[in-house]
């Protein structure tokens, strides 16, 4: 049966492409192809931009005179000025015109507060808000959603009314996770979208360039300002062969993470290509692209193929599939001979199932070696909780394959030994797996079906089975497993793998169980071996949309009132940051010299702090709570250099701010990796920080710092990190000559009277230097708007 479905889809794909060839034989004008005016989505009236994109990419291709990769085609076809734009990978700053903006509720608060501050009446591009981050997993989907609506009523009302007033679509709590909603409704081949969440690249599964950004970048696009991105390099991943057995799409990205590490994709787009691509489902491609965020990639994408066309049809977008097919060669597949800055070869036939972790998503273990590696490293072999779903792995295919494993175990009298949590990615997935009996099978297996939301993946988990500080192991199909990420317990060893392996491992609840070869003892005492997972890629009866949870903005929202209570502890209108006074930054105090990994989770913790994402002053109380102080190897304990007292990092920062003392932070490699949350940049700025000086930055966080007027600087010589002493006074001099490509001078004045002079590099361009001088990018936007009147 599966063979017949695949054959039909390939025939359908052939018809699409042959139809495109016939049209191009009989019609020579590109205008004919755009005449159908197919809408970008079922919920938009704006048409697909293919005609314009094709014209732009032809201009660029003629200029460059070389074959173009798919990433280049999609990106360069969105250039604001394709005729004059400098284009050099890794060097040029591109000015781009994205097709749409997507915001999750935790980051949308600050993005909408910034948009309100701009004074503009309405967003310029299709934009949406998705309520998925503020729902805590505690009991089950129905109860948890009800509680979240009550607890977050003020925030939801703000986002709903702000969306209505400024022309932004609103997906109510319970709709699902932003990235699944985008894949089901908005993503299309050739799309350029920015989203205020680091896993926005999920949309690459439908051939779009979907890029995670901070809220200030979203404001630029919504305000009709060209969005700026440093021209990415392109890393090619050439796929051959075919997956079988327990190998899944998740194993592709787990292997790529092993090869590239958490920073190996920084400044690059990952482009998957080759004959192996057609063996991966559309949602499987989404899984792979989603986790590209864990290797620092700008984004990831796949070329348009019949698997994408099948998914578009299944989600009521056959017209988009047909329109995309017309532009398959010119816009939606790479040219023969296109150049990659790095090329990785992966044979899907020999790819083994992987489990990555703990504490970092790039520490890879083939399932055959996981048990021995765990014992060798003294990781807890017993698994306490299994979790499947999230934005990374919550497709119908994922859930149906897990259900077949669960059914087989149940037939032998076995079920999950441990708590087993299931997170549907959307209301559509939830409704469909309920209708088809999949959810019930997972419940009988021992599962708890949680709300259609991020839940434990982002730390929204009221976990009760272990105490804080208790060493334990959990296994999930999520994307991120930093220390304390899921349950705020630094002693939890979190591993990420496919949902199929999570389900199998939950039966024996041990890391040293390998379902590809080990047997399980049934309730009758007889041993059995699990069959290879299988399941339908798409539901045979079509998707059940479930409850309608979308609110479209009115045509005219000018009469809508958006209220922010001055006494609220959840929402706070923004005050502009002070402009630069034109002087060097002299004698800055060091707040903290961070040692080792410092993700945005370390800088601005999630979990219970998510409720303060719309209140800058309140959320600033979480600043650097879990960053390790190099002075004492402790977390959240720094010395006040004026009183000599030791205290919490945010408290010490507030004490400095109260006395008008500006400060600086020093950090290690890949500072700011992880989530796109701009609060990790806003909080230091709000509490008096002027510069962050590190060995290297993660891309999104570096941009977020620049947007808030913070100097994001790197050591010209990374060994200079060792010269920094906590008691130093730090001066950044020569700021009147601040210019692109020109290092800044830093003087470290030590307590013993000696000093060191070091050089600091930066990636600021002229526009970004203006952000610094103006105090922030938002301030600069207002200055330019005022000057144009």
């Amino acid at each position: 049966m599966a063979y017949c479905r695949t054959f039909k889809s390939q025939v359908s794909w052939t018809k699409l492409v042959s139809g495109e060839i016939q049209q191009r034989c009989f019609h020579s004008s590109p205008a004919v192809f755009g005449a159908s005016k197919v809408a970008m989505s079922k919920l938009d009236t704006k048409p697909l931009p293919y005609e314009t994109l094709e014209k732009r990419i032809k201009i660029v291709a003629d200029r460059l005179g070389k074959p173009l990769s798919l990433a280049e085609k999609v990106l360069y076809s969105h250039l604001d000025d394709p005729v004059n734009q400098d284009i050099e990978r890794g060097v040029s700053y591109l000015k781009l015109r994205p097709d749409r903006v997507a915001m999750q509720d935790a980051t949308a608060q600050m993005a909408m507060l910034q948009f309100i501050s701009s004074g503009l009446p309405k967003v310029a591009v299709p934009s949406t808000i998705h309520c998925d981050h503020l729902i805590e997993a505690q009991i089950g989907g129905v109860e948890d959603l009800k509680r979240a609506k009550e607890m977050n009523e003020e925030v939801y009302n703000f986002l709903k009314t702000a969306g209505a007033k400024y022309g932004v679509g609103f997906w109510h709590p319970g709709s699902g996770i932003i990235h699944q909603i985008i894949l089901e409704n908005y993503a299309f081949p050739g799309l350029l979208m920015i989203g205020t969440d680091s896993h926005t690249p999920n949309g690459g599964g439908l051939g779009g360039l979907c890029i995670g950004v901070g809220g200030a970048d979203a404001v630029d696009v919504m305000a009709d300002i060209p969005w700026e991105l440093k021209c990415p390099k392109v890393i090619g991943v050439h796929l051959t062969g075919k997956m079988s057995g327990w190998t899944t799409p998740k194993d592709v990205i787990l292997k790529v993470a092993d090869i590239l590490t958490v920073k190996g994709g920084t400044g690059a787009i990952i482009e998957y290509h080759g004959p192996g691509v057609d063996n991966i489902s559309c949602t499987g491609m989404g899984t792979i692209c989603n986790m590209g965020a864990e290797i620092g990639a700008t984004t990831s994408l796949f070329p348009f193929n019949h698997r994408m066309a099948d998914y578009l049809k299944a989600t009521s977008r056959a017209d988009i599939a047909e329109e995309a097919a017309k532009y398959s060669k010119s816009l939606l597949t790479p040219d023969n001979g296109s150049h990659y800055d790095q090329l990785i070869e992966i044979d899907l036939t020999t790819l083994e199932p992987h489990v990555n972790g703990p504490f970092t998503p790039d520490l890879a273990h083939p399932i055959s070696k996981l048990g021995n590696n765990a014992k060798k490293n003294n990781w807890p072999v017993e698994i306490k909780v299994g979790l499947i779903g999230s934005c990374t792995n919550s497709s119908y295919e994922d859930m149906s394959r897990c259900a077949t494993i669960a059914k087989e175990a149940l037939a032998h009298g076995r079920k999950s030994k441990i708590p087993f949590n299931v997170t549907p990615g959307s209301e559509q997935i939830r409704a469909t797996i309920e209708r088809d009996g999949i959810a019930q099978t997972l419940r009988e297996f021992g599962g708890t079906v949680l709300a259609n939301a991020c839940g434990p993946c982002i730390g929204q988990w009221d976990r009760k089975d272990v105490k804080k500080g208790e060493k334990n192991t959990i296994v999930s199909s999520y994307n991120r497993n930093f220390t304390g990420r899921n349950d705020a317990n630094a002693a939890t060893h979190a591993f990420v793998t496919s949902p199929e392996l999570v389900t199998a491992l939950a039966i024996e609840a041990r890391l040293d169980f390998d379902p590809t070869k080990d047997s399980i003892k049934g309730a009758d005492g007889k041993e059995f071996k699990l069959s290879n997972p299988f399941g339908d890629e798409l539901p045979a009866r079509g998707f059940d949309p479930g409850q309608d949870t979308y609110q479209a903005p009115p045509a005219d929202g000018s009469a809508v009132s958006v209220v922010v209570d001055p006494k609220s502890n959840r929402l706070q209108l923004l005050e502009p940051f002070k402009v630069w006074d034109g002087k060097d930054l002299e004698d800055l105090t060091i707040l903290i010299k961070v040692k080792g990994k410092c993700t945005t989770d370390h800088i601005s913790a999630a979990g219970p702090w998510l409720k303060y994402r719309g209140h800058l002053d309140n959320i600033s109380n979480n600043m650097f709570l879990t960053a390790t102080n190099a002075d004492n190897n402790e977390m959240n304990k720094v010395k006040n250099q004026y009183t000599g007292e030791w205290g919490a990092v945010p408290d010490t920062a507030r004490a400095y701010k109260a006395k008008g003392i500006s400060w600086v932070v020093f950090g290690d490699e890949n500072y700011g990796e992880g989530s796109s949350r701009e609060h990790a940049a806003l909080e230091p700025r709000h509490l008096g920080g002027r510069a962050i000086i590190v060995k290297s930055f993660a891309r999104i966080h570096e941009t977020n710092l620049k947007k808030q007027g913070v100097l994001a600087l790197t050591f010209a010589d990374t060994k200079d990190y060792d010269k920094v002493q906590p008691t130093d006074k730090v001066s950044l001099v020569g700021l009147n000559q601040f210019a692109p490509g020109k290092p800044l001078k830093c003087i470290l004045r030590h307590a013993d009277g000696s000093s060191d002079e070091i050089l600091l590099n930066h990636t600021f361009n002229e526009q970004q230097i203006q952000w610094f001088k103006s105090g922030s990018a938002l301030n600069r936007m207002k200055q330019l708007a005022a000057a144009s009147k």
Side-chain angles (χ1 to χ4, degrees):
M1 192 66 177
Y3 173 79
C4 293
R5 277 197 298 272
T6 302
F7 180 72
K8 285 180 182 178
S9 67
Q10 288 173 335
V11 170
S12 174
W13 174 245
T14 303
K15 285 181 178 178
L16 283 173
V17 176
S18 63
E20 179 252 330
I21 292 170
Q22 288 176 14
Q23 288 196 40
R24 288 189 182 272
C25 287
F26 289 104
H27 305 285
S28 57
S29 170
V32 174
F33 310 138
S36 63
K37 298 300 180 188
V38 174
M40 282 171 51
S41 83
K42 298 171 290 185
L43 305 170
D44 291 314
T45 56
K46 191 171 180 178
L48 287 167
Y50 288 144
E51 181 184 340
T52 300
L53 300 183
E54 188 177 55
K55 289 177 180 176
R56 286 180 182 163
I57 201 58
K58 187 177 186 309
I59 293 170
V60 174
D62 289 344
R63 283 182 56 200
L64 297 180
K66 64 175 186 178
L68 297 177
S69 68
L70 172 60
E72 290 177 304
K73 285 185 176 183
V74 179
L75 195 65
Y76 302 162
S77 65
H78 286 84
L79 287 170
D80 183 51
D81 182 4
V83 175
N84 299 303
Q85 171 71 59
D86 288 334
I87 301 173
E88 185 179 352
R89 292 186 193 176
V91 177
S92 308
Y93 278 86
L94 306 179
K95 292 187 182 297
L96 300 157
R97 291 288 184 177
D99 299 303
R100 70 179 314 116
V101 172
M103 299 169 279
Q104 42 96 330
D105 51 354
T107 50
Q109 295 170 64
M110 195 56 67
M112 292 309 296
L113 287 166
Q114 290 178 91
F115 188 82
I116 291 169
S117 296
S118 75
L120 295 169
K122 193 172 183 177
V123 298
V125 300
S127 304
T128 49
I129 293 169
H130 304 259
C131 296
D132 62 358
H133 269 56
L134 301 179
I135 302 168
E136 184 182 52
Q138 190 180 77
I139 302 170
V142 175
E143 301 91 338
D144 294 346
L145 179 59
K146 181 176 183 293
R147 188 177 69 257
K149 286 180 176 179
E150 293 170 354
M151 290 177 60
N152 303 307
E153 182 180 8
E154 178 187 13
V155 170
Y156 291 148
N157 187 57
F158 165 73
L159 293 173
K160 182 169 63 176
T161 55
K165 186 173 185 66
Y166 297 105
V168 180
F170 181 76
W171 288 85
H172 285 263
S175 301
I177 305 172
I178 176 172
H179 312 304
Q180 183 67 26
I181 297 292
I182 293 297
L183 202 70
E184 292 173 353
N185 296 276
Y186 298 114
F188 62 83
L191 166 74
L192 177 62
M193 184 186 84
I194 64 167
T196 60
D197 188 276
S198 55
H199 293 102
T200 300
N202 191 80
L206 255 177
L209 279 185
C210 303
I211 302 175
V213 299
D217 278 354
V219 172
D220 280 355
V221 177
M222 292 191 292
D224 203 26
I225 295 172
W227 175 58
E228 190 175 69
L229 176 72
K230 193 169 188 178
C231 187
K233 295 183 178 180
V234 184
I235 297 174
V237 180
H238 186 247
L239 301 177
T240 57
K242 186 174 184 178
M243 292 181 296
S244 62
W246 286 83
T247 302
T248 72
K250 186 68 164 275
D251 298 302
V252 175
I253 185 58
L254 294 179
K255 182 62 178 176
V256 172
D258 177 43
I259 295 167
L260 289 176
T261 77
V262 289
K263 58 180 287 188
T266 303
I269 294 173
I270 311 296
E271 180 177 316
Y272 295 86
H273 62 286
V277 166
D278 288 342
N279 295 309
I280 303 173
S281 66
C282 177
T283 51
M285 296 182 211
T287 292
I288 293 167
C289 292
N290 178 295
M291 261 196 78
E294 311 323 314
I295 53 177
T298 301
T299 191
S300 306
L301 85 166
F302 281 81
F304 181 50
N305 68 354
H306 71 88
R307 306 300 283 265
M308 294 182 190
D310 288 348
Y311 185 78
L312 286 167
K313 290 176 196 172
T315 50
S316 305
R317 292 175 287 172
D319 53 348
I320 293 179
E322 292 172 8
E323 197 70 9
K326 301 173 186 177
Y327 297 87
S328 177
K329 187 174 188 302
S330 63
L331 195 62
L332 304 176
T333 52
D335 292 335
N336 290 330
S338 56
H339 170 71
Y340 297 103
D341 296 281
Q342 182 178 350
L343 185 62
I344 296 170
E345 296 278 355
I346 294 180
D347 180 359
L348 299 177
T349 305
T350 59
L351 181 63
E352 188 176 351
H354 278 66
V355 180
N356 285 23
F359 307 127
T360 184
D362 61 347
L363 182 57
H365 317 276
I367 186 64
S368 60
K369 298 179 181 177
L370 176 63
N372 286 336
N373 288 349
K375 293 168 186 174
K376 184 170 62 178
N377 289 283
N378 197 30
W379 300 327
V381 174
E382 180 189 0
I383 303 170
K384 290 290 189 180
V385 184
L387 309 100
I388 65 169
S390 87
C391 67
T392 321
N393 276 108
S394 58
S395 68
Y396 186 86
E397 180 181 36
D398 291 328
M399 296 298 174
S400 65
R401 284 168 63 89
C402 290
T404 62
I405 298 168
K407 275 185 180 178
E408 187 170 17
L410 289 166
H412 290 273
R414 293 295 303 271
K415 58 193 291 188
S416 177
K417 269 189 177 181
I418 53 179
F420 186 73
N421 294 324
V422 180
T423 304
S426 68
E427 169 61 10
Q428 178 169 274
I429 293 294
R430 183 208 63 78
T432 306
I433 65 173
E434 288 286 1
R435 181 200 68 193
D436 292 352
I438 292 172
Q440 183 57 30
T441 296
L442 294 174
R443 289 192 189 97
E444 291 170 4
F445 181 69
T448 299
V449 179
L450 302 175
N452 314 321
C454 300
C457 183
I458 60 162
Q460 286 284 47
W461 184 16
D462 185 19
R463 188 180 179 191
K464 302 291 190 184
D465 63 296
V466 298
K467 297 177 181 177
K468 288 288 189 294
E470 183 180 337
K471 193 175 177 181
N472 74 101
T473 285
I474 64 172
V475 181
S476 79
S477 68
Y478 301 162
N479 44 42
R480 195 158 278 170
N481 61 341
F482 301 138
T483 303
R485 165 78 175 184
N486 304 123
D487 61 1
N489 181 5
T492 294
H493 292 56
F495 293 83
V496 293
T497 187
S498 67
E500 292 92 331
L501 268 187
V502 174
T503 307
L505 289 170
I507 299 169
E508 292 292 270
R510 293 184 62 82
L511 291 178
D512 55 2
F513 170 62
D514 180 356
T516 69
K517 62 181 181 182
D518 294 342
S519 296
I520 299 171
K521 185 175 287 188
D524 58 2
K526 296 179 181 179
E527 292 196 345
F528 70 98
K529 190 170 175 289
L530 289 170
S531 303
N532 292 336
F534 65 93
D536 288 333
E537 176 182 341
L538 297 165
R541 296 162 59 192
F543 283 108
D544 182 337
Q547 299 180 36
D548 184 4
T549 53
Y550 175 67
Q551 174 183 297
D556 181 4
S558 57
V560 177
S561 296
V562 181
V563 178
V564 176
D565 185 346
K567 297 179 182 177
S568 171
N569 70 351
R570 298 289 301 272
L571 297 165
Q572 180 185 51
L573 292 174
L574 297 175
E575 293 290 332
F577 294 128
K578 291 181 180 179
V579 301
W580 177 53
D581 62 8
K583 300 177 182 177
D584 288 337
L585 299 178
E586 298 274 4
D587 292 332
L588 300 172
T589 295
I590 297 176
L591 175 66
I592 184 172
K593 179 183 177 182
V594 178
K595 177 182 178 182
K597 186 183 281 284
C598 189
T599 70
T600 48
D601 279 348
H602 293 88
I603 305 166
S604 175
W609 291 95
L610 284 172
K611 61 178 175 285
Y612 297 123
R613 285 284 180 87
H615 197 293
L616 180 55
D617 194 55
N618 282 347
I619 198 170
S620 293
N621 289 322
N622 76 356
M623 189 180 71
F624 291 111
L625 291 187
T626 56
T628 300
N629 183 4
D631 191 24
N632 56 7
N633 290 315
E634 294 188 45
M635 293 187 290
N636 199 29
K637 187 176 181 181
V638 295
K639 189 175 185 179
N640 186 314
Q641 299 300 326
Y642 292 85
T643 67
E645 297 176 355
W646 291 85
V649 183
D651 294 344
T652 305
R654 286 189 186 278
Y656 290 156
K657 182 180 180 180
K659 292 184 177 294
I661 299 166
S662 296
W663 47 264
V664 62
V665 167
F666 287 90
D668 217 315
E669 295 280 6
N670 206 29
Y671 179 93
E673 72 172 286
S675 170
S676 66
R677 69 190 66 148
E678 65 187 322
H679 297 77
L682 279 161
E683 294 172 32
R685 181 73 163 111
H686 174 63
L687 293 184
R690 300 308 308 274
I692 307 291
I693 303 169
V694 299
K695 293 179 181 178
S696 64
F697 282 107
R699 176 190 63 85
I700 299 176
H701 187 63
E702 182 181 23
T703 301
N704 286 346
L705 288 169
K706 293 176 182 178
K707 286 270 183 176
Q708 304 308 333
V710 179
L711 286 173
L713 308 170
T714 57
F715 295 102
D717 182 352
T718 56
K719 295 187 185 69
D720 288 339
Y721 171 89
D722 298 323
K723 295 178 180 177
V724 178
Q725 300 171 25
T727 54
D728 288 349
K729 293 297 180 186
V730 181
S731 295
L732 301 173
V733 299
L735 289 175
N736 280 312
Q737 286 78 46
F738 192 10
K742 183 179 179 181
L744 290 174
K745 187 164 67 174
C746 173
I747 300 171
L748 304 171
R749 293 188 175 89
H750 307 305
D752 62 4
S754 64
S755 65
D756 280 300
E757 185 176 302
I758 63 176
L759 289 179
L760 302 175
N761 294 332
H762 64 85
T763 61
F764 283 79
N765 60 22
E766 289 288 1
Q767 175 174 284
Q768 294 166 346
I769 290 170
Q770 289 302 318
W771 298 343
F772 166 72
K773 291 180 177 179
S774 301
S776 70
L778 189 58
N779 287 359
R780 182 60 177 164
M781 182 193 299
K782 290 180 181 178
Q783 291 172 356
L784 293 173
S788 66
K789 289 181 180 178

